Amino acid sequence: MRISRSRSVLLAGAVAVTLSATALPAAFAAPSATAVISEVYGGGGNSGATLTRDFVELANAGSTAYDLSGFSVQYLPGTPSAGSVWQVSALTGSVASGGRYLVAQAAGTGGTVALPAPDATGTVAMSAASGTVALVSGTTALTCKTAADCAADTRIVDLVGYGSAVVREGAGPATGASATASVARAASLADTDDNGADLSAAAPTPVNAAGQTSGGGTGPGDPGNPTEPGTVRVHDIQGATRVSPLDGKAVTGVPGIVTAVRTTGSRGFWIQDTAPDADARTGEGVFVYTGSAAPAVAVGDSVLVSGKVDEYYPSATTQSITEITAPRTTVVSSGNALPAPVVLDAAALPAAYVPSAGGGSIDALPLEPSAYALDLYESLEGTRVQISDTRVTGATTAYDEIWVTVDPEQNPTRRGGTLYSSYTDQNTGRIKVMSLDTTRPFPVGNVGDVLSGATTGVIDYASFGGYNLQATELGTLTDHHLQREVTRPQKGSELAVATYNVENLDALDDQTKFDTLAEGVAVNLSSPDVVSLEEIQDDNGAVSDGTVGSEATLKRFTDAIVAAGGPQYDWRYVAPQDGRDGGEPGGNIRNVFLFNPDRVSFVDRPGGDATTAVAAVPTKKGVTLSVSPGRIDPASGAWADSRKPLVGEFRFHGKPVFVIGNHFTSKGGDQPLHGRYQEPSRSSETKRVQQAAEVNTFVKSLLAADKSARVVTLGDLNDFAFSPTMSALTAGKALKPLITTLPADEQYSYVYEGNSQTLDHILTSPGIQRFDYDVVHINAEFADQASDHDPQIVRIKVDGRP
């Protein structure tokens, strides 16, 4: 099993030596460009162990054999005493390119399974729990007993400390070694000189130079290339659950036709068996991971693949990708016809999205591809599929990705997207499309466009977006000419209040960004009277030098609005304490009010600063603010490392209006909709609910002083209309969410992973009963966007009694 965004593979059960050009930390001598240690096991023969002996396994990822003549593997106890010495096991011979080399150590009285024939034999009784193993150029015992001293010994080619070892590379030793678990380097054999990061615990899997494993099988180091298929087929590897029943085991001569090749990023190729079984759960395609090496196969090749089966987890909360790693491939023939693609359309989709495991892992659940969409996609992992005439639900990204739906009738929005309307009603037809053809430009599409004709490729999985189609043939993009919306101007008797997340705007941004955002305010929003901005940074952006002011940023922005035909806005904000409000490090993100002084006046009351809480002050004529602008309870733990709400008192036609600008904490840290844990945990929600409760309490304090107080609460709340956050914010009917007043197919302001959804909101108090509300779609549905959020606006009547 592997859990890593950088393709590290969590293998188990040996100390392996690998060829690597990765540099060691500065504390150690520069490593050889040839060998590193990859697996250590000291539990052989112990009580509870399966294997009868300890062992050290070496591996070679280089292009030529690595000579071990005159080398040794040496062992030191994890906490060496004054009398401790390094114990030496001499080596002979060499490690073949792509091969393994097994060093057997002392046997115990337990265990029932012998090691494969070792390539060298020592007599060291290694500890199962803690120790240090070194690969040494020479057979003279080392004398160092600290990490620093060992770093100075240039004879050490590589070193692995495990358990609680004092001598180790990096910040900490590899953990988890026991009588039943080894520590092993990733199958990629990558070395970052941090034992704790590079090696992980799992069941021991010794492999010798002949490629043999315990029990007589062959491992990924098998130098032979079989000419006949082995006994294992792709569907045996994929199995009937998300995790292969052969995970961690060696396979030999797995037959298949190469259906696709990936030459960038995570390199490798897909094979598919042309003789499928009758079980819909067991997929017929699998990815063969070649690491940094370019795949030496072509589409249409008939191949036999030997290697080790592995479940690669892009991150700890995602599902895995079943792969064959450290492959050795025999090309039997070329130019073969490809298996017919599976047609993926609305008729093929189950109604439900994913099975429930009560918040636990779904890895072990038997797949039900006829019942759940994610089970269907999993059963097709690595398999060739085809989609046709699919509507775009998420615009082309900077990473050349586009989201489409294979079920066009599923929750469509008015403008062509797919609406996300509840936690329990997922959109099963969404899928991300990427291209394996790097020679052609990727189509640039907006929501509502259509990827016309057939798009064919293989199903893959990634941490961002989950299941995706790696296209070998792309359909043609049909442009449906989606237009950016322009809202109507407010009437003379209407106060127009808008919210707009301007995505980390600072004075160092290029003028194009300022101009595009300014056009959104002046033209598309028709110059609102008040604009509550989120994500205004300090004047030097991500530079962390104590700057907290945003005057230069706001001057450039308001000047650009004038140039776009808008009014000369004034502004108010409360500068945050340096580094206390979250967001991009150094940016000192904050909420800001822009207002048109020709239409509305701001009531300034001194005393508002980063740490002073604003309060409602009852008067004979209603309610006022203690400070304006001010912040809601900035000392509350709800706002720790997060943007504090900005409160301002405005007057329009002589009547007070209170505006609260918000930017609640992000959804970072939540488990993905497509992940291995179902239902997914929304850990970030706890803090947003606390923040919503704080704002609700403040609004209620205004209404307690004046039940007719006109309050507009707005901003990027980072949560949905159906969320607990919204329930906390509207508790006691203090506020009304305006997004729910729109037709259902218009209730969105943000597009994420092909889902049209609402993170931005405007809410009003009971004192505002006559309003006209609009989400103005100018960004989220477009590939070319100034922000990833669409702005919103409400026009309210404030004259007379509500």
Side-chain angles (χ1 to χ4, degrees):
M1 177 182 71
R2 286 179 292 161
I3 303 178
S4 171
R5 293 174 63 85
S6 59
R7 307 289 315 182
S8 354
V9 183
L10 306 183
L11 295 178
V15 176
V17 178
T18 304
L19 304 187
S20 171
T22 306
L24 286 170
F28 278 79
S32 164
T34 51
V36 298
I37 294 175
S38 66
E39 194 175 359
V40 179
Y41 177 59
N46 288 14
S47 176
T50 298
L51 297 175
T52 58
R53 305 186 70 147
D54 301 340
F55 68 87
V56 173
E57 177 195 282
L58 314 180
N60 179 359
S63 59
T64 60
Y66 182 68
D67 188 5
L68 294 174
S69 300
F71 279 60
S72 63
V73 165
Q74 303 193 21
Y75 172 82
L76 183 71
T79 307
S81 65
S84 298
V85 295
W86 286 87
Q87 295 173 269
V88 179
S89 302
L91 308 178
T92 60
S94 62
V95 193
S97 172
R100 300 290 193 272
Y101 185 104
L102 186 65
V103 183
Q105 296 292 1
T109 58
T112 57
V113 178
L115 298 178
D119 304 299
T121 301
T123 59
V124 179
M126 299 164 56
S127 168
S130 179
T132 300
V133 175
L135 175 66
V136 180
S137 176
T139 56
T140 301
L142 300 171
T143 58
C144 56
K145 295 183 182 179
T146 67
D149 288 344
C150 288
D153 195 324
T154 58
R155 294 176 298 159
I156 296 177
V157 178
D158 192 35
L159 180 145
V160 170
Y162 62 97
S164 57
V166 172
V167 180
R168 75 282 184 116
E169 286 181 357
T175 59
S178 69
T180 59
S182 70
V183 292
R185 197 175 298 276
S188 63
L189 304 177
D191 179 23
T192 67
D193 298 332
D194 186 343
N195 293 159
D198 291 341
L199 294 97
S200 301
T205 56
V207 180
N208 64 13
Q212 297 168 327
T213 62
S214 295
T218 58
D222 183 3
N225 290 327
T227 58
E228 296 294 330
T231 59
V232 174
R233 295 295 187 268
V234 171
H235 47 253
D236 299 323
I237 294 172
Q238 288 289 3
T241 71
R242 285 173 165 77
V243 175
S244 171
L246 301 179
D247 183 25
K249 299 184 183 302
V251 292
T252 303
V254 180
I257 301 294
V258 176
T259 57
V261 177
R262 183 160 57 202
T263 58
T264 60
S266 180
R267 293 180 177 180
F269 57 95
W270 286 267
I271 63 171
Q272 187 168 331
D273 199 328
T274 56
D277 65 6
D279 191 340
R281 301 171 299 172
T282 56
E284 301 298 339
V286 70
F287 182 62
V288 181
Y289 173 59
T290 62
S292 59
V297 296
V299 171
D301 285 351
S302 175
V303 297
L304 301 175
V305 178
S306 303
K308 183 174 282 188
V309 176
D310 182 67
E311 291 292 340
Y312 167 60
Y313 287 85
S315 74
T317 61
T318 62
Q319 296 188 56
S320 61
I321 306 162
T322 305
E323 301 177 340
I324 300 176
T325 62
R328 299 188 66 78
T329 304
T330 300
V331 177
V332 179
S333 63
S334 299
N336 296 280
L338 303 186
V342 175
V343 175
L344 195 58
D345 58 15
L349 286 176
Y353 184 66
V354 66
S356 172
S361 172
I362 59 175
D363 278 353
L365 297 181
L367 294 176
E368 298 183 66
S370 63
Y372 302 106
L374 288 196
D375 284 16
L376 173 64
Y377 291 138
E378 174 63 23
S379 73
L380 295 173
E381 179 191 85
T383 299
R384 202 162 175 258
V385 303
Q386 185 176 89
I387 60 177
S388 298
D389 299 324
T390 50
R391 193 177 72 246
V392 174
T393 63
T396 302
T397 72
Y399 305 101
D400 286 343
E401 305 164 341
I402 194 167
W403 283 85
V404 301
T405 180
V406 299
D407 188 356
E409 299 303 316
Q410 189 175 53
N411 300 322
T413 67
R414 180 175 61 84
R415 289 165 58 85
T418 298
L419 190 71
Y420 178 57
S421 56
S422 80
Y423 294 124
T424 57
D425 183 20
Q426 303 292 346
N427 292 307
T428 58
R430 294 175 304 116
I431 192 165
K432 182 170 67 174
V433 177
M434 306 164 71
S435 178
L436 292 169
D437 186 352
T438 58
T439 65
R440 297 182 181 180
F442 193 79
V444 179
N446 299 323
V447 168
D449 292 345
V450 173
L451 202 54
S452 300
T455 293
T456 307
V458 291
I459 294 292
D460 194 24
Y461 183 88
S463 56
F464 294 100
Y467 293 100
N468 58 82
L469 178 58
Q470 297 281 332
T472 53
E473 302 169 49
L474 270 175
T476 302
L477 188 80
T478 300
D479 188 350
H480 279 213
H481 305 288
L482 187 70
Q483 298 298 305
R484 300 181 198 271
E485 293 183 333
V486 176
T487 196
R488 71 167 177 85
Q490 64 272 28
K491 299 175 183 177
S493 60
E494 294 175 321
L495 175 68
V497 183
T499 176
Y500 198 178
N501 183 317
V502 292
E503 200 173 358
N504 288 329
L505 186 66
D506 72 77
L508 302 182
D509 284 331
D510 60 68
Q511 190 60 39
T512 300
K513 181 174 182 178
F514 278 96
D515 292 343
T516 306
L517 289 167
E519 183 178 0
V521 173
V523 178
N524 302 93
L525 286 173
S526 294
S527 300
D529 302 314
V530 178
V531 185
S532 183
L533 300 174
E534 300 87 54
E535 295 199 19
I536 290 287
Q537 293 192 334
D538 62 34
D539 286 335
N540 60 12
V543 178
S544 186
D545 63 357
T547 299
V548 294
S550 294
E551 297 300 302
T553 302
L554 293 168
K555 178 67 165 59
R556 280 190 68 189
F557 189 33
T558 54
D559 285 351
I561 292 172
V562 171
Q568 179 64 64
Y569 283 103
D570 203 347
W571 61 80
R572 295 290 189 275
Y573 66 88
V574 175
Q577 292 177 285
D578 187 31
R580 297 290 186 89
D581 280 18
E584 187 179 24
N588 288 314
I589 201 170
R590 85 285 314 276
N591 301 308
V592 172
F593 293 139
L594 301 184
F595 64 96
N596 179 0
D598 292 336
R599 290 265 305 164
V600 64
S601 60
F602 188 87
V603 180
D604 287 295
R605 289 196 173 87
D609 58 28
T611 60
T612 299
V614 64
V617 179
T619 70
K620 292 181 178 180
K621 294 184 178 181
V623 64
T624 61
L625 300 179
S626 60
V627 295
S628 178
R631 305 174 105 193
I632 294 177
D633 199 7
S636 168
W639 308 113
D641 197 34
S642 184
R643 288 76 58 175
K644 284 70 174 173
L646 181 68
V647 185
E649 183 176 339
F650 295 85
R651 287 194 173 272
F652 182 72
H653 293 187
K655 301 295 192 295
V657 178
F658 302 94
V659 180
I660 305 173
N662 302 275
H663 189 185
F664 287 0
T665 195
S666 78
K667 287 183 170 290
D670 287 3
Q671 293 173 350
L673 297 178
H674 53 75
R676 64 197 293 208
Y677 299 107
Q678 296 294 338
E679 290 76 19
S681 168
R682 303 187 299 272
S683 58
S684 68
E685 187 177 85
T686 300
K687 193 166 187 177
R688 283 192 302 279
V689 169
Q690 294 171 352
Q691 294 174 340
E694 291 271 1
V695 175
N696 177 266
T697 297
F698 179 76
V699 171
K700 285 178 176 176
S701 72
L702 291 172
L703 299 180
D706 181 359
K707 65 180 181 180
S708 299
R710 300 170 181 86
V711 184
V712 180
T713 299
L714 73 177
D716 179 2
L717 304 185
N718 270 314
D719 226 331
F720 312 119
F722 50 83
S723 67
T725 300
M726 190 60 65
S727 297
L729 187 57
T730 59
K733 298 183 179 180
L735 292 166
K736 176 184 180 68
L738 301 189
I739 191 72
T740 59
T741 68
L742 295 177
D745 63 356
E746 297 182 25
Q747 294 182 19
Y748 65 95
S749 65
Y750 190 81
V751 179
Y752 181 69
E753 294 186 349
N755 274 327
S756 295
Q757 56 196 36
T758 303
L759 299 181
D760 312 89
H761 295 270
I762 298 180
L763 303 93
T764 55
S765 66
I768 298 172
Q769 295 188 1
R770 292 185 294 170
F771 60 85
D772 181 24
Y773 168 71
D774 191 12
V775 177
V776 185
H777 300 296
I778 61 174
N779 288 315
E781 298 170 313
F782 296 88
D784 179 17
Q785 52 185 226
S787 168
D788 49 353
H789 295 253
D790 285 332
Q792 303 182 16
I793 188 169
V794 62
R795 292 168 285 262
I796 60 177
K797 293 274 192 176
V798 298
D799 290 338
R801 297 185 59 81

